[in-house]
Each structure stands twice: as C-alpha cells, then as structure tokens.
Amino acid sequence: MKDSKMELQKPSKTSLLKLMILRAWRERWNVALWGINIKRVLPRGVSGDAYNLADCILQQSMVGLNANPLVLNYLNHCLCANLVSHAAVLRRISKYDHFDRVYCITALLEFLEEVMDGVTCRNKPEEAILPNAVTSLIYWVIQIVAMVMKNFEIGSEISAEQSYMFERTCVIVEKFTSNQFLMGIYYIGCYDDIDTYGQIRDKFNGFKNILQVYPCNNAISQSLQQLAYLDASKLTMPRLHSKGVESVSYCVQPLLAVEVLLHPCNDTSYFVAELQMIQRLKNYTLTRLIYEIVRAGFISLSNVVEVSRGTLWGAFTFFKVPHIIKQLHALQKSNDEQTPTDHFPEVVEAFELLLEDNLLLDLLDTKCSCNIIEYLLNDWTKQHLVTDVQVKHFATQRENTSLMLQKRESGNQALSIINFIIRAEVPLSGVLKTLSTDYNKVQEALLGVLCQVLVGNSFDLILSVATVEGRLKTFVTRLIQCNENSKQVPGEIGKPSIIRSTLFDVSFLMLTFIVQTYGSDVVLSEHGDSFFEKWVRECMAERNKPKNPRNMIALCEEQIVDELLLSLRNPETQHKNSNLTWQDICLNLPGVLNHVLIAWEKDILTSTDVKSILENIKRRMFSFSVCATSFLCAYMYSVRENELLKPLNMIQQFLTPLSSEEMTSQENVKERLGLSFQIIRKMQQDVHPSSNTKSRSINLTQNLVSQTPLSDQFREVWKTVTEHGWLPVMSAQILESLLQSGGPTWLTKHLVHEILICKYTKDMLKTMDIVFAILHLDIERNTEALLKDIIPLYANQMVGGEINEPQSHVLALLSVYCIISALEHRQGTISTLQQKRTRTHSEADNSDLDLSNVPKLRKLNQEGGSDNSCSNDFLSDNHPLLTAVNSDTTNKTTGRDTIRTATLKEPLYSSVQYIFKLLQQFVTSDVLTPKVYFAYRFISLLIECGGERIRPVLKLLPVQLIQNLLKVMVSEDISVGLICSLYDLRTATGRQSAVSDLSVWRNIRLKENSLKL
C-alpha cells in the first residue's frame, strides 16, 4: 500500500534538458523551435549554467567521430540568447580530450572562431570563472598544436584533415592574441591558475623547435610564444608621457643641490636610491645617469662662492661620486655580464659626453686653475673607474684649452681650493689617528694637531672630506672623548694644566661648530652621557631648536653661581683653592647671566660693569663666551621686542677683538678666538637675523636673513633660477629658508604657479623638473601640500578654462613624481638611512622671565654707585624672526593583503586618500569634463611612471572610480593594459576587481560596435 501511494520522483532539470536535446535532434528542430522549447524547461531569469546546459549540449554534439552541427547550433543560440555564459562554454570545450577525433576538434575550433569575438561577462558568477576558463582553453589549443607537431616530427608530414585543423588552430591563436579583452582575461587567469600556465609553457617548449621547421607563417610562432611567455607590456596601454630620453636634463643638478645642502652626511646608498628613482622616471641609461651626476657636481662646484660650500662640493664630487657610481654599477650589472676589472665602460662613455660641454669645462678650468678633468680622473683611478691611459686621453683633449685659460687668468687667480681638497684625506686620517692615541701620552702633540686644523680653511676641508666619506661621526666621537679627557683635574697646575685647558677649549669649540653646521641629531648619539652631549641637549641654542632659558637656569647650582658672580665681578678676589671646574662654569653661566640681566634691568649694574663681567668671561676661556651666548640667544626667544637690546649688546661684547697683549698671552689664541667668533655670529644670526647683506657670508646654516616680504624674496630667487636654467647653491639655501618661513603650502603654491605660467610645453616640463627637485627640501610635507591644497585649488580653475592642456598634464605628472618619491622615501629605500631634519616647535615657555626675583643683587653691587643710563654703546637690531613648523606625523600602517608588506604611512597615506576621493568627485556625472580627464591622466601616469612600485598607492583606489571613468571616458583611452595594471593580481580581490572592470570595458565596446552596425 505504501509503495502504491509513493509519488514518482520527478526528474531533475538537467535530465529534462538532456531528454529535450535528444528530442530536438531526433525531430530536427530548427533554432527557432529550440529557443521556444528551451524556455519552457528553464525557469524565468535562471541561467542554463546552473543546470550544466553547455555540458549537456556539447556532450550530445560530440557523440560520434564527427560533430553534430545541428546541436552545436543550439549551443550558439543559447549563447546569443544569454541562456549560457561564454565562460561555461569555453570551460567545457577545454575539457574535450579526444584529440584523435580530428573532425570533432575541427568543429569545435570552427565554433570557437565564430563565437570568439563576442566573449564577455554579464554577471558576477561569470566573472569568477572566466579567467580559469580562458587559461584552460589556451592549454587545450596548445595541446592541439603539440599533437600536430608530434605527428609532423614522426612522419615529416601530416594528413589533409590535420593540416586543416592546424590552420583553424592558427586562426584561433591569431584572433585570441589580437583580442585585448581575451588577452587581459588570460593574463589574470595565469595569476589565478599558475599550474596551468606552467603546463602551457612546458608544452610550448616541447614543440617550439619543431615549429621552426614546420612550413607555416612565422606569425603563428610569435603568437604562440606570446601566449606561453606572457608579458604585460603586450597589453595595449597608450602612453600619456613620452618614454623617450630628453636631450637635456634639468632634474639631477637641482636634486643633488638640495640633498647635499640638507644631507651631506648621508650614506652613499641614500644618494644611490634617489638617483635610481630619477633614472626610472627619466628612462636614463647608466651612462647618461653618470654623465648627469658628474655634470651636476661640476655645475654646483663652479657656482659656489662660500669656502665651506666650495670644499663640500669639491669633496662630494671627488670622493662621494665615485662610490655612488660604483654602487649604481653593481646594482645594474647582470650576473652573466662580463665587464673589465680596471675600468667601467659607462664612466668612459659618460666623460666622452662631458667633453662636449666645453663652456662648463672652460669655466671650471679657469676657476680652479687646473685641468679639472685630469685632476678628477687621476683621483678616480684609485677606485678603478678609469685607467691611466684613459686619463691621458681625456687630459690631452683638454690640455691646450686648459693651459690657455690658466695662463690668461694667472695674474688674478688665487690658489685653487681643488688642490687642497684632493690632499685633505691624509690630514683627516692623521687627525683621527692622533685622536685615537692614548691621551696621556700625546696631549701636547694633540693640541698642536687640533690647533693646526683651525688654521686657514683646513677645518672646512677636513669636515667636508669627513662628511662625504662617512667619517664625520667617527671624528665627532673622538673629539668628544678628547673633550672628556681634558676636563679639569683638581689640583693640576703649571704647563699640564694649560695644555689641558686649551685642549678642552679647542675640542669644545670644534664640536660646537660641527653641531651648528650639521645638527645635533645628525652627529650626536641620542642618549650620549658625555659632558658636551649633555650641554648640547640642555643648553645649546640650535637652529630651529630653541631652548627654554628657565630650564637652563634650573640646572644651575646656587653655590656655584654665587662663587662665579663674585669672581667675575672681582677677578682679583678669586680663591686659588676654588673647586670650580670648567664644565661647572659652562653649565652654570646661564644663572650668572640671568642675575646680570636682572641687575642691569634694575639699574643696579651699569653698562661698564656688565662689559667688565663679560670681558672676564671671555678672557678665561673662549668656550665660556659660546656658553654665555647660547643662554642669551635662548633668553631673546622669550622676551618682548623692546627687551632685546641688552642681550644683543652683551653678545656683541663677546665679538670685540682682544688687545695685542691678550693675543700674545696664550698660545693659539688667534685660531680659537676666530672659531668662537664664527660660532657666536651664527647663534646670533639664527635668533636675530641681520639686515646687513654682508652678514650672509657667515650664515652657513642657511637661515633667512632678509627682512623683505617672502613673495619678493621668492620672485628674486626664482629669477636667478630661470636665468641659470638650474638651481644655484645659494638659491637652494634661500628656498630652504622660505620653506621654513612660509610653510610647505605657501612654497609649493608659488612653485606650481611658476610651472603653469610657462607658455611653451618644453619650458613647462623644464620648470616642472626643477620644481620637483626643489620639493625635496621636504618631499613628504610638500607632497601633502600639493595633493591636499594645490590640486583642489587648480581643479576649480579647470572648469572655467583657466587651466587647459598641457598645464593639466604637467600638474598631474608633477603630482605623480612627488608621490613616487615620497613613497620610496617612506618604504625603506631611503628611510632606513638618516631622516631629513624635522622642524619642531620649542617646548619652551616663551613667557617673560620673572624680574621680581632679585637674589644676590648686593653681591653684584658691592662697589656701589653706577651710571643709571641705558647704554647704546653696542649695536642694536630688530626683533628676531622665529619660524618653527610643527611637522608631527604619526606612522600608520595599512594594507589589505599580506603578500606585500610595504605600506603607506602618514602623511602620504592621508594625502593619497584625499586626492583619490577628490578624483572620485570629479567623475560622479556622465559628462566628460576637464576634471574627468585630469582624473584619467593622474591614474594613467601613476601606472606609467610607478609600475609595480606604486602598488601600495593603488590599493587605496575607491572601488567605483575606475568603472565610473569607464562609463564617461572613450573606451579607446582606457585600455586593457591600464586596467590590469591597476590591481594586484596576486590577490583574489585584485583579480576580481580587474575582471569586473574589464567586463564593463568589454560590454561598452560591444555596445559601441553594435551601434555602429
């Protein structure tokens, strides 16, 4: 009973489809009748892929030795009616493995030839399987070719049927490689199914030799190789930026001018990384890059006026550049490449190019009083960059001209600094060796060596060579040790005490000068415990690092301050048994000067009394003058403008020359006094710039000294840049000061404006290169300003037609260049080395010092009466210009994929996010506007210039941005190559996004073609 009541199980949809296919074949349904009946079986809106319709039809069509054309027509109808997907059909064809059935294979090939032009995706499930289906299909086609080639190898000929099948295969391959959509899908599929792609390559390698002797068109061999060895460059991608090499470079010299100005101490690999970035952006060969580097060094060397800058650029060109070239050559040399051991061919070729620049070489030969090529290459032979024979060859070509120029200028030409630079390595090594010797054994000799270093320009020369050779920190470390060893020993008298005090003074002054020049963050360790390092951290007034004078005073000990006040007021009353050491005096002078200032302000001391105290400070040790000046500069930061006169006058007193008796009373006074004057002047300039243009020569820290408006200064310096066609060293210094004063947004806005006002494209690109290099004064903050402030500003002008082509293109190109440079700086290519000096606000409390606290005034006024007039004996100046920019950046890590560890960090991360959101706003409508085209240019140039290195930036692309662009832009502009390059195809998310965009692109193209028909 139960069995009779059981309902018969309904057949599945797949079974019904198979039965209907058999019925259609038996009754010989035409395509129209098939279409009517198939819709009765399939639910409305459901694809046949859910019931394996393509499999069922193909199985029925391939039952015998010959294919059933009627059933294949049913499959073609299903494709046209969107009842099955192209992905399902291609995947099912690739599973057919009866390669011995030639007629069936041929029928499938003919079917493919018919439907291939219409292959596309219409929904997400199709997008998921199409890349694998296409990859499997290519493997299937390769297997057919392999079978034919095997039969040809065995019998030296093939049958007519196999020959026709091979012809159809060739047509399929040609149509496939010419179809950019299919090539793009195949490119994605190779990442999705690496094993199948490996099999394709292995199969091709198995028959490629036979294919060469087979009587067929060479084009098929190239097409098959293109499928087996897939290259992304074969995917079409119209270039917006010329890939050709410019005849004249305007980028390398300004970039090196900025980097040598800011980071002369940086390791060789820092410069190598940045120059490699330029090489990639400009498509330079190694020969061209070497030529540009040497030419940049020569241009800057011919331009410098200051001795310290001249020695630095000379040392950089002679000593640093060879190491840069060697690293570049090692990084770009292939393992199997055979190169000479005694020279680099690229260096020889670069100097052949350099010899054509006669004007530059003539200028240098005249200025340096030598054959600069010969001098340079003679030194480079030690590095095995050139041989002696090649040096003679180059020297001979310049010999007559050089001698004539030197003879012409012999009457008024001073001895060239180049002659000293190339000999400076030996004195540096000698100084370092002496400093490393046992201090107790060589005190007198060490004093002689250090004092000799201060004679003339020797100190600048040694510092320059130590800087470019990476030995500056070693020099500083040993000087600090010397200073520690020279600290006062209680009870020591006589000549040993004099030598020790002079060594303490000399080493302290030399160290202070070095810290002033390069910055404490560059030359000192972060947590050094020596006396000098402690003094720098707590008491030294550094540029852009003002100290709080209250903190300095808090470090002073009252007992020591009392004793110092008495001894300075009445030197004759100083006790011989005083326990005051030199280091104690250095640390407690702020307390003394604070009481002197208060007493002078209260008219308890006269200007004469103050002069006497200051003179007593200076006579004891020149280091004390420096320590006192440091406190006075910190004090000037914290008081009102009308209270600056007294501390300025006190500093000026330290700069008064000594009498002849005082100059002869001690040894080496002239050298120490001269160095202390340089240090004091630089401290004063940093806190209170002088309007006197002559004072620029002492301002080696590139501080802003002009009191004219910033815009006027910029116009003046930019006029100099445009007249030269490159970036003079002094102009780089002024621009760095303008960056501090006006900020990154102000400077970037003015620089971009100079690009956009150019009339001709050539001039615009030249200016853009110079501006790009200048932005490296602080590439991260300037890039942030460009993306967040400048681009939005000019985007509004694009609508009104104020910004057209080529301005829009150049603006996009500059933005891309800056993003790439900032990205490589952050990713570790450069950031693992020394970072650029950051500018921070002082943590000091800039409120006025409390003048009501007047202890020990009686000690200062023991002599009684005074002149109550406020003295104007000294020089007075205006209020100091203090600029400090807070660049507080936090490191954030992003990244959706674990495959690539490189991530964007602030401020680049937020800047890129901001610009992408802005671009997305540009393409919200369906109208093609200049803003939309700018968005397209920006993204295309990112791909062109950045390649794989720009991948972390592209991860931040909004999901809908590209598809919105596809709907607005002409489909010929946005190519398959561009879409495939936008995403990281090593990840499933990247592949899915790429296929989705390609499908949109494909459907738009098919729609356009159908409208044309």
Side-chain angles (χ1 to χ4, degrees):
M1 290 292 292
K2 291 182 179 180
D3 293 338
S4 61
K5 290 181 179 180
M6 287 180 62
E7 294 183 351
L8 294 175
Q9 186 176 3
K10 293 182 179 180
S12 65
K13 289 287 184 182
T14 304
S15 300
L16 290 175
L17 289 172
K18 289 181 178 180
L19 292 172
M20 194 183 74
I21 294 170
L22 287 172
R23 182 184 173 191
W25 174 67
R26 283 198 305 267
E27 297 178 6
R28 300 297 189 270
W29 290 353
N30 59 25
V31 173
L33 188 57
W34 163 263
I36 293 170
N37 287 291
I38 192 67
K39 291 180 181 178
R40 293 175 181 173
V41 178
L42 289 177
R44 187 177 185 86
V46 177
S47 171
D49 292 351
Y51 308 109
N52 298 320
L53 178 58
D55 284 7
C56 297
I57 296 176
L58 279 171
Q59 283 178 10
Q60 186 60 41
S61 65
M62 298 292 155
V63 170
L65 294 176
N66 289 321
N68 190 326
L70 180 61
V71 178
L72 281 177
N73 281 339
Y74 297 158
L75 182 58
N76 200 354
H77 173 271
C78 290
L79 277 174
C80 295
N82 297 333
L83 296 178
V84 294
S85 67
H86 288 90
V89 172
L90 298 181
R91 185 173 62 178
R92 182 62 187 85
I93 290 175
S94 67
K95 292 179 180 179
Y96 188 77
D97 56 358
H98 295 288
F99 295 105
D100 55 328
R101 298 180 183 180
V102 177
Y103 295 108
C104 290
I105 296 291
T106 304
L108 289 176
L109 291 171
E110 290 174 341
F111 176 79
L112 276 175
E113 185 179 348
E114 185 178 351
V115 303
M116 186 174 289
D117 290 335
V119 174
T120 186
C121 288
R122 295 183 178 86
N123 52 51
K124 291 293 180 183
E126 294 180 30
E127 292 173 1
I129 61 175
L130 184 60
N132 271 327
V134 170
T135 307
S136 299
L137 181 69
I138 294 298
Y139 181 56
W140 183 74
V141 171
I142 291 287
Q143 285 179 294
I144 297 173
V145 178
M147 180 193 70
V148 174
M149 292 299 104
K150 183 178 180 181
N151 293 337
F152 175 76
E153 184 182 22
I154 293 172
S156 299
E157 60 181 12
I158 56 176
S159 63
E161 292 82 0
Q162 286 190 342
S163 178
Y164 180 75
M165 181 181 68
F166 182 72
E167 289 177 8
R168 293 300 92 202
T169 305
C170 292
V171 172
I172 294 295
V173 171
E174 293 291 346
K175 292 189 75 171
F176 192 95
T177 53
S178 61
N179 188 316
Q180 281 294 301
F181 171 72
L182 290 177
M183 287 295 288
I185 294 294
Y186 174 51
Y187 183 66
I188 297 169
C190 290
Y191 279 96
D192 198 22
D193 191 354
I194 298 176
D195 293 337
T196 302
Y197 177 55
Q199 292 173 347
I200 292 171
R201 182 171 291 187
D202 293 340
K203 279 286 183 184
F204 174 76
N205 290 332
F207 65 73
K208 66 179 180 181
N209 293 330
I210 308 171
L211 190 62
Q212 293 176 357
V213 298
Y214 184 81
C216 64
N217 190 353
N218 289 333
I220 184 62
S221 178
Q222 295 175 2
S223 298
L224 287 169
Q225 184 170 357
Q226 185 178 340
L227 293 175
Y229 293 91
L230 195 59
D231 185 2
S233 63
K234 299 298 181 183
L235 302 176
T236 57
M237 181 175 169
R239 293 191 64 87
L240 300 180
H241 187 55
S242 174
K243 200 174 182 180
V245 180
E246 57 204 8
S247 57
V248 179
S249 171
Y250 299 99
C251 190
V252 177
Q253 186 278 331
L255 181 65
L256 286 179
V258 167
E259 293 299 346
V260 173
L261 170 72
L262 294 179
H263 312 110
C265 302
N266 272 7
D267 189 75
T268 302
S269 52
Y270 178 94
F271 295 96
V272 169
E274 289 214 330
L275 290 167
Q276 278 191 303
M277 176 196 67
I278 296 296
Q279 185 181 15
R280 287 190 295 269
L281 292 177
K282 297 297 183 180
N283 200 32
Y284 289 158
T285 62
L286 181 57
T287 296
R288 176 64 185 276
L289 183 62
I290 293 172
Y291 161 75
E292 293 294 346
I293 294 170
V294 179
R295 179 173 173 269
F298 280 0
I299 289 175
S300 299
L301 188 58
S302 68
N303 171 252
V304 289
V305 177
E306 297 175 356
V307 173
S308 61
R309 291 294 164 196
T311 56
L312 180 60
W313 270 103
F316 179 84
T317 307
F318 275 76
F319 301 133
K320 178 74 86 175
V321 169
H323 295 288
I324 292 174
I325 293 173
K326 291 178 79 171
Q327 280 198 24
L328 285 169
H329 186 269
L331 289 171
Q332 301 182 32
K333 176 185 174 183
S334 58
N335 294 330
D336 56 348
E337 184 181 355
Q338 297 295 326
T339 56
T341 57
D342 58 347
H343 73 283
F344 291 174
E346 293 84 358
V347 174
V348 177
E349 294 167 6
F351 272 86
E352 291 287 359
L353 293 173
L354 193 63
L355 284 173
E356 299 176 8
D357 200 342
N358 291 318
L359 291 177
L360 175 61
L361 296 178
D362 289 350
L363 176 61
L364 268 176
D365 286 355
T366 304
K367 181 173 182 176
C368 299
S369 305
C370 64
N371 185 338
I372 190 67
I373 293 286
E374 184 178 10
Y375 262 72
L376 183 68
L377 292 183
N378 274 331
D379 196 69
W380 284 15
T381 53
K382 305 171 188 175
Q383 306 285 344
H384 303 292
L385 297 178
V386 289
T387 63
D388 292 331
V389 175
Q390 291 161 348
V391 174
K392 290 180 181 178
H393 165 71
F394 290 125
T396 303
Q397 295 189 51
R398 290 285 307 165
E399 185 175 9
N400 294 333
T401 305
S402 181
L403 287 174
M404 182 179 67
L405 291 169
Q406 294 175 46
K407 189 179 297 183
R408 182 177 179 183
E409 298 290 333
S410 60
N412 51 359
Q413 186 64 256
L415 192 59
S416 170
I417 198 71
I418 299 297
N419 294 290
F420 297 104
I421 290 173
I422 59 177
R423 303 192 195 112
E425 274 187 305
V426 176
L428 172 62
S429 300
V431 172
L432 292 176
K433 184 177 179 181
T434 306
L435 284 169
S436 63
T437 311
D438 186 359
Y439 175 82
N440 295 321
K441 297 179 180 178
V442 294
Q443 290 186 33
E444 193 167 355
L446 178 58
L447 177 60
V449 169
L450 293 182
C451 290
Q452 186 62 35
V453 165
L454 300 180
V455 175
N457 298 323
S458 299
F459 194 30
D460 287 325
L461 283 167
I462 287 177
L463 284 181
S464 298
V465 175
T467 298
V468 300
E469 289 191 345
R471 295 197 278 178
L472 182 62
K473 280 195 173 182
T474 304
F475 185 36
V476 170
T477 302
R478 294 182 183 177
L479 272 178
I480 290 174
Q481 188 59 48
C482 174
N483 184 258
E484 282 291 292
N485 293 333
S486 302
K487 289 195 293 188
Q488 188 170 359
V489 176
E492 188 178 47
I493 58 174
K495 186 176 181 180
S497 176
I498 295 174
I499 294 176
R500 184 181 294 273
S501 66
T502 310
L503 273 173
F504 179 89
D505 198 29
V506 170
S507 59
F508 187 94
L509 292 173
M510 292 174 75
L511 285 166
T512 307
F513 181 85
I514 294 171
V515 170
Q516 269 191 327
T517 305
Y518 298 101
S520 60
D521 52 341
V522 175
V523 296
L524 299 182
S525 58
E526 189 174 354
H527 302 292
D529 57 355
S530 66
F531 157 71
F532 179 78
E533 288 168 302
K534 179 182 177 183
W535 178 81
V536 170
R537 281 196 301 269
E538 304 293 345
C539 301
M540 181 176 173
E542 283 188 85
R543 177 176 179 249
N544 298 321
K545 292 182 180 179
K547 301 291 193 303
N548 188 339
R550 288 182 179 275
N551 293 342
M552 294 186 190
I553 296 170
L555 292 173
C556 299
E557 298 180 22
E558 289 191 19
Q559 183 179 355
I560 297 177
V561 172
D562 289 348
E563 189 173 345
L564 268 176
L565 284 170
L566 287 173
S567 63
L568 292 172
R569 190 72 177 90
N570 300 298
E572 63 277 2
T573 63
Q574 182 178 1
H575 298 290
K576 293 184 179 180
N577 297 327
S578 174
N579 291 324
L580 287 182
T581 62
W582 306 316
Q583 53 271 24
D584 289 336
I585 295 174
C586 290
L587 293 174
N588 286 276
L589 274 174
V592 173
L593 292 173
N594 180 47
H595 292 304
V596 171
L597 280 166
I598 293 172
W600 196 8
E601 193 70 33
K602 296 292 185 180
D603 294 334
I604 298 173
L605 287 179
T606 66
S607 58
T608 305
D609 298 331
V610 174
K611 282 185 180 182
S612 174
I613 293 173
L614 298 179
E615 283 296 318
N616 290 332
I617 291 175
K618 184 168 67 172
R619 287 192 190 100
R620 291 196 178 187
M621 199 175 281
F622 298 118
S623 301
F624 297 163
S625 301
V626 171
C627 295
T629 302
S630 181
F631 168 77
L632 291 171
C633 289
Y635 177 84
M636 289 166 63
Y637 272 118
S638 64
V639 296
R640 294 185 292 269
E641 183 176 4
N642 58 0
E643 297 173 343
L644 288 174
L645 184 59
K646 285 184 171 62
L648 276 174
N649 288 339
M650 293 172 75
I651 292 174
Q652 197 61 33
Q653 183 61 32
F654 288 128
L655 295 173
T656 56
L658 297 177
S659 64
S660 56
E661 293 180 1
E662 292 172 321
M663 292 291 289
T664 56
S665 62
Q666 302 178 41
E667 294 183 3
N668 310 113
V669 172
K670 181 180 179 182
E671 291 79 11
R672 289 185 287 145
L673 180 65
L675 186 57
S676 68
F677 279 3
Q678 289 186 56
I679 295 168
I680 292 170
R681 287 192 183 108
K682 280 195 280 186
M683 282 186 178
Q684 182 182 2
Q685 283 293 116
D686 287 341
V687 71
H688 193 282
S690 171
S691 59
N692 183 9
T693 56
K694 293 182 179 180
S695 67
R696 288 176 183 263
S697 60
I698 66 165
N699 190 18
L700 304 182
T701 53
Q702 311 99 44
N703 209 6
L704 185 65
V705 296
S706 177
Q707 297 182 14
T708 57
L710 296 182
S711 297
D712 293 346
Q713 291 182 65
F714 178 81
R715 281 192 291 270
E716 181 182 349
V717 72
W718 190 256
K719 181 180 178 182
T720 305
V721 172
T722 52
E723 287 174 352
H724 284 82
W726 40 270
L727 184 62
V729 176
M730 181 58 74
S731 298
Q733 293 175 280
I734 298 173
L735 286 167
E736 202 267 345
S737 295
L738 289 175
L739 173 63
Q740 295 178 46
S741 303
T745 301
W746 182 90
L747 180 63
T748 306
K749 179 181 177 181
H750 279 74
L751 290 170
V752 171
H753 175 73
E754 295 299 329
I755 298 174
L756 300 181
I757 62 175
C758 295
K759 293 182 178 180
Y760 303 103
T761 305
K762 182 180 178 181
D763 294 338
M764 204 173 292
L765 291 173
K766 168 186 172 182
T767 307
M768 187 213 71
D769 280 346
I770 297 175
V771 167
F772 171 58
I774 293 172
L775 292 178
H776 281 77
L777 288 167
D778 194 333
I779 188 62
E780 292 183 346
R781 294 168 65 228
N782 288 331
T783 301
E784 180 184 21
L786 180 65
L787 298 181
K788 287 186 175 181
D789 301 320
I790 309 304
I791 298 297
L793 176 67
Y794 284 106
N796 296 326
Q797 300 180 20
M798 293 178 190
V799 179
E802 299 176 36
I803 302 295
N804 298 310
E805 295 300 325
Q807 287 96 334
S808 176
H809 170 78
V810 174
L811 189 58
L813 186 61
L814 175 65
S815 303
V816 168
Y817 276 12
C818 289
I819 289 174
I820 293 171
S821 181
L823 174 65
E824 296 199 4
H825 178 85
R826 270 297 187 179
Q827 277 188 349
T829 308
I830 297 173
S831 62
T832 54
L833 304 167
Q834 290 176 335
Q835 295 293 326
K836 296 185 177 181
R837 300 176 200 172
T838 55
R839 306 162 182 87
T840 58
H841 284 302
S842 171
E843 296 178 356
D845 177 11
N846 286 335
S847 60
D848 296 343
L849 292 180
D850 186 5
L851 297 181
S852 62
N853 181 19
V854 198
K856 308 178 184 66
L857 290 184
R858 288 185 297 275
K859 293 176 181 152
L860 290 168
N861 195 31
Q862 284 179 355
E863 296 296 321
S866 66
D867 178 12
N868 292 330
S869 63
C870 181
S871 173
N872 280 328
D873 299 349
F874 310 114
L875 297 177
S876 63
D877 252 319
N878 297 323
H879 193 277
L881 176 63
L882 173 62
T883 59
V885 182
N886 184 10
S887 58
D888 180 25
T889 59
T890 57
N891 292 336
K892 298 180 182 177
T893 55
T894 62
R896 297 182 296 236
D897 305 319
T898 57
I899 292 176
R900 190 179 183 89
T901 57
T903 55
L904 293 183
K905 297 181 181 179
E906 294 293 355
L908 186 59
Y909 177 81
S910 59
S911 302
V912 171
Q913 273 194 325
Y914 182 87
I915 193 67
F916 280 158
K917 288 179 182 177
L918 184 68
L919 297 181
Q920 191 172 23
Q921 294 174 10
F922 290 171
V923 292
T924 50
S925 67
D926 295 334
V927 182
L928 180 59
T929 64
K931 285 186 176 182
V932 174
Y933 205 68
F934 176 82
Y936 161 68
R937 283 187 178 278
F938 186 90
I939 295 171
S940 296
L941 289 170
L942 270 177
I943 302 297
E944 286 183 32
C945 302
E948 281 296 317
R949 294 173 176 270
I950 209 71
R951 186 68 57 207
V953 173
L954 296 175
K955 287 180 181 179
L956 300 179
L957 272 174
V959 177
Q960 294 298 320
L961 176 57
I962 301 302
Q963 293 198 5
N964 290 343
L965 268 180
L966 284 166
K967 295 171 184 176
V968 179
M969 296 287 298
V970 181
S971 58
E972 283 81 1
D973 289 335
I974 299 183
S975 63
V976 172
L978 175 63
I979 294 173
C980 289
S981 301
L982 285 172
Y983 303 101
D984 188 355
L985 301 182
R986 294 168 297 182
T987 65
T989 305
R991 292 192 293 271
Q992 182 181 351
S993 300
V995 174
S996 179
D997 289 351
L998 281 176
S999 300
V1000 173
W1001 178 86
R1002 175 66 166 170
N1003 292 331
I1004 292 174
R1005 291 292 296 269
L1006 290 174
K1007 182 179 179 180
E1008 291 174 353
N1009 293 335
S1010 64
L1011 290 174
K1012 291 177 183 177
L1013 293 175

